[in-house]
Amino acid sequence: MTKRVAILISGGGSNMVSLARAMTGDYPARPCLVLSNVPDAGGLAKAADMGIPTAVVDHRNFKGDRHWFENELQIALEAANPDIICLAGFMRILTPEFTAQWAGKMLNIHPSLLPKYKGLHTHARALEAGDTVHGCSVHEVNGELDGGQVLGQARVPVFADDTPDDLAARVLPMEHQLYPAVLERFAQGDLTPIQLGEA
Ligand code: GRF
């Protein structure tokens, strides 16, 4: 059965575009909604150009009331009736109460080799640590920030003169390969981890 996928973004949506482009032919999923917490997120226009329904739930309208925001988010999501939710550059932290409603149905892509560097500024932290390998992870979302079972990782080498931007630019294309590959398996109920890249 082809799964319906809602994709949540906050910015340019390059991962959303990669996912949407992959969801064709006999791929076991199709995008049913692209939703952003940012009204002018660049990814919304890209989604509309691809014929994907879009929605906005602007977190600023809820004045820091996280549960009120998430209630509106839930209403917008339920209207699209997704089987799977993909967080793709979605920059709001979701409460355990919200993520529990989508347990086993929500994925996120994070720009580090989890469990290393949960949270922000992952590339700078990898450089500060002197890592020689870095990358990205797709994981199931649970109540812990960047927690949950890792379903795939992609590795890239780190070079001595790398800046955080250099590293981000090397990781991002791997994100675009990894996320569609993991979603394809996940949509078929296959949680076998995927490993991409070499370093
Ligand atoms: C990416 O680095 C992703 O790992 C992080 O958000 C960044 C931007 O993603 N979660 P996108 O271009 O908006 O998909």
Side-chain angles (χ1 to χ4, degrees):
M1 185 255 290
T2 301
K3 294 292 194 291
R4 297 168 57 83
V5 178
I7 306 172
L8 272 57
I9 66 171
S10 296
S14 71
N15 275 287
M16 175 278 294
V17 170
S18 299
L19 289 169
R21 284 180 176 159
M23 290 194 260
T24 60
D26 61 1
Y27 193 98
R30 289 293 186 274
C32 65
L33 177 69
V34 170
L35 183 150
S36 182
N37 62 299
V38 177
D40 60 350
L44 289 169
K46 295 172 189 170
D49 289 346
M50 297 172 83
I52 304 168
T54 62
V56 172
V57 180
D58 185 344
H59 65 279
R60 295 170 304 180
N61 293 343
F62 303 95
K63 299 174 177 42
D65 183 331
R66 207 177 280 277
H67 290 292
W68 185 18
F69 165 68
E70 290 178 345
N71 286 345
E72 292 301 308
L73 193 56
Q74 185 71 5
I75 290 167
L77 286 169
E78 286 177 350
N81 189 31
D83 302 297
I84 297 168
I85 296 175
C86 287
L87 307 181
F90 185 68
M91 302 310 280
R92 304 301 295 171
I93 292 177
L94 298 167
T95 64
E97 294 77 17
F98 181 84
T99 57
Q101 298 175 89
W102 297 96
K105 298 178 181 180
M106 188 183 284
L107 302 178
N108 181 46
I109 187 154
H110 181 73
S112 79
L113 294 176
L114 292 170
K116 296 179 84 170
Y117 314 129
K118 295 179 181 179
L120 299 174
H121 313 303
T122 61
H123 309 303
R125 290 158 68 191
L127 290 170
E128 284 158 21
D131 291 354
T132 57
V133 181
H134 185 48
C136 54
S137 305
V138 174
H139 63 95
E140 282 199 66
V141 174
N142 63 10
E144 177 201 346
L145 178 66
D146 299 325
Q149 182 179 349
V150 174
L151 299 179
Q153 294 192 310
R155 283 166 170 73
V156 300
V158 181
F159 302 122
D161 59 348
D162 273 340
T163 65
D165 286 348
D166 295 332
L167 215 35
R170 195 170 305 128
V171 168
L172 194 57
M174 298 305 290
E175 295 178 27
H176 297 160
Q177 289 183 50
L178 181 66
Y179 215 166
V182 171
L183 177 62
E184 183 171 27
R185 285 194 184 178
F186 188 76
Q188 299 174 95
D190 180 355
L191 302 186
T192 311
I194 291 177
Q195 296 292 338
L196 298 180
E198 70 289 325

